[in-house]
Every structure is written in structure tokens, then in C-alpha cells.
Amino acid sequence: EDQVTQSPEALRLQEGESSSLNCSYTVSGLRGLFWYRQDPGKGPEFLFTLYSAGEEKEKERLKATLTKKESFLHITAPKPEDSATYLCAVHPFPGFQKLVFGTGTRLLVSP
Amino acid sequence: SAVISQKPSRDICQRGTSLTIQCQVDSQVTMMFWYRQQPGQSLTLIATANQGSEATYESGFVIDKFPISRPNLTFSTLTVSNMSPEDSSIYLCSVPRRGTDSYNEQFFGPGTRLTVL
């Protein structure tokens, strides 16, 4: 069964303290892996798509990387406005299968 | 990316009643998706709504409980019927990125937060 596990469940950082969030996945095949940011009371906001091992994507203080078993979301010198829940989802194959989401990592960045 | 709106943004309902949630997209899309996000849980796909055909429901979700309409390429509704407190969740609609296949990158609406008393 396709599965996505995110860790840690919650992470508290001081402003400027870099860290990484983990997304481990088990799928028969991977069409794509997605990262989303979700603020309280809002829908998920799309951040990145990764398709193959070794691929990296960057946006401001965020960098996403992908291996054959997991993805990392690196946050460099975070600011309080980076506080949110970060969701990971995989798009398995074969065939046209639904996305499988993890439960997310709640990030709190204190000033 | 598409601009997606949902109504209502939140509601508090009594047990046994029904609520219809609307989802409006600013561009024409073939497929729309409805998700449920229960507290502390991951997003769960309820159904896929194609214009002009019956919605396809995932295991554990049935049409009598979650009827869906898709009258045109920019609009869909999800009804939560005969509600119980277990239906308290955030309900989200989403659409795939234009030009991608059905379940690829998805963009989400702001969600409807439902509380059932």
C-alpha cells in the first residue's frame, strides 16, 4: 500500500535557526512528489514538484530535495512568517492514481 | 495557477441536517476533486467530479452521503447529508494544474470548515 510519513510532527525553531523536514514514502512507482504549505484556516498552497531522485527545487528560504525513498524540505534562516504546516504528497504509478498525502509537519518559528 | 473560491468558508450545523458547499474556479477545468481534512489527519480524497458524468467516489464515501454536482466546467457542489459530529472537518476542492494529467499538481481552494453539533 502506498504510504507517506512526515517527521517530525511538530518543530519549533528560533528565527534564523535552519532545519529540515522529512517526507518518507513507500510507493510501487513515483510519478511525482509535491510539497505544500498550509496556514491555519486556509487551503494548501503549492510549493514544489519533484520528479526524480537527485532533483532539487528552491524558493526563497526553502529548498526541496528528493531521493528514492524520501524528500527533505530544508528551511534556511527561517522567519516567523514561515510558520505553517508543511504537507508532502506523492503521485504514485502505474496508472492514474490519486495523490497520497502525509499528515504534515507543524512548524513554528519564534522571533 | 487557478483561482479557486469556496462558499461558505465556515459553518456550524445541527446533527441530521445537510450542508451544500460550493466551489468556483476562474478557468474551465475538466476534473475537480473534493477532499476532507479531519483534525490532525492527512487530506483524504472523497470523490472526483467530471463535468457531464457521475462523480467517482473513493472507498468509504458514498453518493447518498456526499452527493456532488458538476453542472459546468467552472463550478461544483458537495453536499454533506444527514450530518453527525464525525463529519466535522475541513472540506476542500482542488483542480489540477492546467496542461497536466488528472492527478498531478493540484491547486486547492481555501476550504470550508464545518462543525456539526
Side-chain angles (χ1 to χ4, degrees):
Chain A
E1 182 183 345
D2 300 323
Q3 201 165 3
V4 175
T5 303
Q6 291 188 248
S7 62
E9 287 187 14
L11 180 62
R12 174 170 281 187
L13 300 173
Q14 289 295 120
E15 185 172 3
E17 180 186 1
S18 300
S19 188
S20 297
L21 313 182
N22 177 265
C23 171
S24 298
Y25 61 90
T26 305
V27 293
S28 51
L30 183 70
R31 291 168 67 96
L33 183 143
F34 312 107
W35 282 99
Y36 290 86
R37 168 191 171 128
Q38 187 173 24
D39 293 300
K42 296 188 176 181
E45 174 190 349
F46 174 79
L47 292 174
F48 302 113
T49 302
L50 301 166
Y51 290 108
S52 57
E55 189 175 0
E56 298 183 352
K57 292 277 181 71
E58 285 190 67
K59 180 180 180 181
E60 296 180 356
R61 295 177 292 282
L62 301 177
K63 183 168 81 171
T65 62
L66 181 65
T67 72
K68 289 186 177 180
K69 293 185 178 180
E70 57 191 350
S71 176
F72 292 94
L73 185 65
H74 307 278
I75 303 176
T76 302
K79 298 181 178 181
E81 52 262 42
D82 295 322
S83 298
T85 295
Y86 291 87
L87 299 172
C88 170
V90 297
H91 184 196
F93 77 86
F96 290 97
Q97 299 188 48
K98 63 184 179 183
L99 302 190
V100 179
F101 283 84
T103 54
T105 294
R106 284 179 287 109
L107 174 66
L108 177 63
V109 182
S110 303
Chain B
S1 62
V3 177
I4 305 169
S5 60
Q6 285 186 235
K7 291 182 181 179
S9 58
R10 58 177 60 225
D11 207 340
I12 300 173
C13 301
Q14 296 297 319
R15 180 196 299 261
T17 62
S18 298
L19 176 71
T20 295
I21 302 167
Q22 300 178 8
C23 179
Q24 179 76 51
V25 187
D26 70 341
S27 58
Q28 293 184 338
V29 293
T30 303
M31 302 180 79
M32 294 176 75
F33 307 101
W34 286 99
Y35 286 85
R36 182 173 74 183
Q37 187 177 29
Q38 294 179 304
Q41 310 228 351
S42 60
L43 274 73
T44 302
L45 182 64
I46 298 171
T48 301
N50 289 328
Q51 195 272 332
S53 64
E54 294 290 324
T56 302
Y57 289 83
E58 296 297 313
S59 175
F61 297 97
V62 294
I63 188 171
D64 289 347
K65 176 68 175 178
F66 298 101
I68 288 171
S69 78
R70 185 75 203 277
N72 58 53
L73 291 173
T74 63
F75 187 79
S76 178
T77 66
L78 170 76
T79 299
V80 187
S81 303
N82 188 25
M83 289 184 285
S84 66
E86 293 70 36
D87 294 319
S88 297
S89 286
I90 298 173
Y91 291 86
L92 297 150
C93 66
S94 76
V95 301
R97 178 189 290 275
R98 189 179 303 180
T100 67
D101 67 44
S102 56
Y103 290 108
N104 213 322
E105 297 168 355
Q106 293 181 21
F107 296 94
F108 288 84
T112 295
R113 182 179 294 271
L114 171 62
T115 302
V116 184
L117 303 178

